[in-house]
Amino acid sequence: MSSVPVIDISPLSKNDNVVDQQAIDQVYKQIHQTCKDIGFFYITGHGVEQSTMDLLLRYTQKFFALPMEKKTALSIHKSPSYNGYIEPGCERTQNVADIREGIYCGRQLLQSHDGDAMVMSDNFPEETDLPGFAESVKGYKAQLTKLGFAMIKALAVGLGLPEDYFVDKCSPPMSILAFWHYLPYPGDTDSWGVGPHTDSGMWTFLLQDDIGGLEVEITEGQWVEVKPIPGTFVVNLGDCLQAWTKGLYRATRHRVRRSIKTDRYSVPFFFNPNRGCIIEPIETDITRNLTFTKIVKGLEMPFRYGDFARTLLEKSHGWSRGQNNIN
């Protein structure tokens, strides 16, 4: 495969009472095959209105246009659940500083005093600074969460498992919504906003503007641009899906090239397993004879997803283990 495919998933998101199982099965087959081949694809027919997508991108630009003191007041270091603003160069990928600024909304890593209940402490800007932002974020997250649950059925069916196999493993999902701003780089050499990496969780649903810059490594050393297509989300798989399926499904490396002249904005939604979900190889007729590695970004399977997420968070931000009780 030399390009990133487009899959129309509208049979999965219809709200009427008419179920076209043949159409649904066809979508499941397309997703299954693409997860094996490349682990990256566009989706259309996802049910999220274009006006909603446009609004999120406008809010992204407005947030990053706020004065720096307004943004740093929302610093991720001030949030007990690690939501908030990230200054350029403060987050690292493969030990290299990311040349982008961002804000995380919805990360759920803080354990409450009454056990395993999760506490979410979003670090939203003041309503007077960005009217409607918090409400729009919450509504968008709800839509993308619903989409994530619809999509995981395809994974289960493709693996020969019951359709609802992953539902309890993702309830509630440790989902994260992020907003990114890649500053332009006025030069004639390559400059990366974020270098080659794989995502850590299950799905990533990416809303990108029309500037471009995202690239995916479809085979070793062969990078292909994932150009913006209006009205689509770019979907890619994370390390947990690759680990679960013993490498049958691909967590594909990708990177973002900075534009020479223009700011780039994107809004990724990371749909992840729940905090206590155990990540270990799934044995089915399809995966049984596959060889695989037990080590996933430094952790040996089986492990809890919450432990995995915490380890990667500490590594990317240079925080010490156990800080702020993120267990």
Side-chain angles (χ1 to χ4, degrees):
M1 182 174 291
S2 59
S3 62
V4 178
V6 180
I7 301 177
D8 179 2
I9 66 164
S10 55
L12 309 186
S13 58
K14 288 186 176 179
N15 295 320
D16 55 37
N17 294 323
V18 179
V19 176
D20 186 343
Q21 193 59 51
Q22 185 175 1
I24 291 173
D25 290 343
Q26 183 60 35
V27 173
Y28 286 173
K29 289 179 181 177
Q30 288 179 282
I31 293 174
H32 173 66
Q33 190 62 48
T34 304
C35 288
K36 292 195 302 178
D37 290 343
I38 187 172
F40 249 86
F41 52 100
Y42 301 89
I43 57 172
T44 63
H46 43 67
V48 180
E49 295 291 339
Q50 183 66 54
S51 58
T52 300
M53 301 167 79
D54 292 342
L55 178 62
L56 261 290
L57 286 172
R58 287 199 298 273
Y59 270 128
T60 306
Q61 295 182 31
K62 288 180 179 180
F63 173 80
F64 291 115
L66 290 174
M68 181 57 73
E69 62 267 22
K70 294 282 188 179
K71 293 184 288 187
T72 55
L74 304 172
S75 172
I76 193 171
H77 298 282
K78 300 177 182 179
S79 168
S81 53
Y82 296 100
N83 294 297
Y85 176 67
I86 303 167
E87 295 183 51
C90 289
E91 192 169 47
R92 305 179 71 82
T93 300
Q94 302 294 326
N95 294 318
V96 177
D98 299 335
I99 310 302
R100 60 182 181 180
E101 60 176 340
I103 182 171
Y104 283 123
C105 301
R107 190 196 302 273
Q108 296 172 302
L109 286 178
L110 182 66
Q111 183 177 351
S112 72
H113 295 298
D114 58 356
D116 286 340
M118 301 308 297
V119 177
M120 185 175 73
S121 176
D122 273 315
N123 229 357
F124 290 130
E126 295 289 340
E127 181 69 14
T128 52
D129 290 329
L130 210 54
F133 178 80
E135 181 180 357
S136 295
V137 165
K138 292 173 183 177
Y140 184 75
K141 281 180 57 185
Q143 286 186 280
L144 271 290
T145 298
K146 180 179 178 181
L147 177 60
F149 276 110
M151 295 274 289
I152 60 176
K153 295 178 181 179
L155 303 175
V157 171
L159 294 168
L161 297 165
E163 192 178 70
D164 62 352
Y165 179 84
F166 290 107
V167 172
D168 64 333
K169 294 172 174 54
C170 298
S171 299
M174 279 184 65
S175 298
I176 308 167
L177 181 65
F179 296 82
W180 293 120
H181 173 211
Y182 296 87
L183 289 76
Y185 178 76
D188 56 3
T189 59
D190 287 344
S191 178
W192 304 103
V194 58
H197 67 285
T198 56
D199 292 344
S200 62
M202 198 165 186
W203 297 114
T204 302
F205 298 92
L206 177 68
L207 170 62
Q208 56 177 338
D209 65 11
D210 58 359
I211 301 304
L214 175 63
E215 298 180 356
V216 57
E217 189 179 34
I218 56 173
T219 59
E220 187 173 357
Q222 183 183 3
W223 292 87
V224 171
E225 186 176 359
V226 187
K227 296 182 179 181
I229 300 178
T232 68
F233 290 112
V234 177
V235 181
N236 66 276
L237 280 58
D239 298 313
C240 288
L241 270 181
Q242 180 167 294
W244 261 331
T245 63
K246 299 167 71 171
L248 179 70
Y249 289 166
R250 291 182 57 188
T252 311
R253 292 206 311 164
H254 50 287
R255 63 191 183 187
V256 177
R257 185 189 302 273
R258 292 167 67 192
S259 169
I260 293 176
K261 297 181 180 179
T262 310
D263 298 83
R264 178 184 186 267
Y265 301 93
S266 67
V267 185
F269 177 79
F270 304 96
F271 183 91
N272 299 324
N274 65 48
R275 186 175 65 92
C277 179
I278 302 300
I279 306 300
E280 59 185 342
I282 297 171
E283 293 291 338
T284 72
D285 290 342
I286 296 174
T287 64
R288 187 161 290 116
N289 296 320
L290 298 176
T291 58
F292 66 101
T293 175
K294 290 185 177 182
I295 306 300
V296 185
K297 288 186 174 174
L299 278 187
E300 182 175 356
M301 292 189 285
F303 53 76
R304 291 194 318 159
Y305 180 73
D307 297 333
F308 183 58
R310 180 191 62 195
T311 299
L312 296 182
L313 175 66
E314 292 170 349
K315 185 181 296 183
S316 64
H317 288 270
W319 290 322
S320 60
R321 182 171 297 276
Q323 182 177 343
N324 283 14
N325 188 30
I326 55 169
N327 60 354

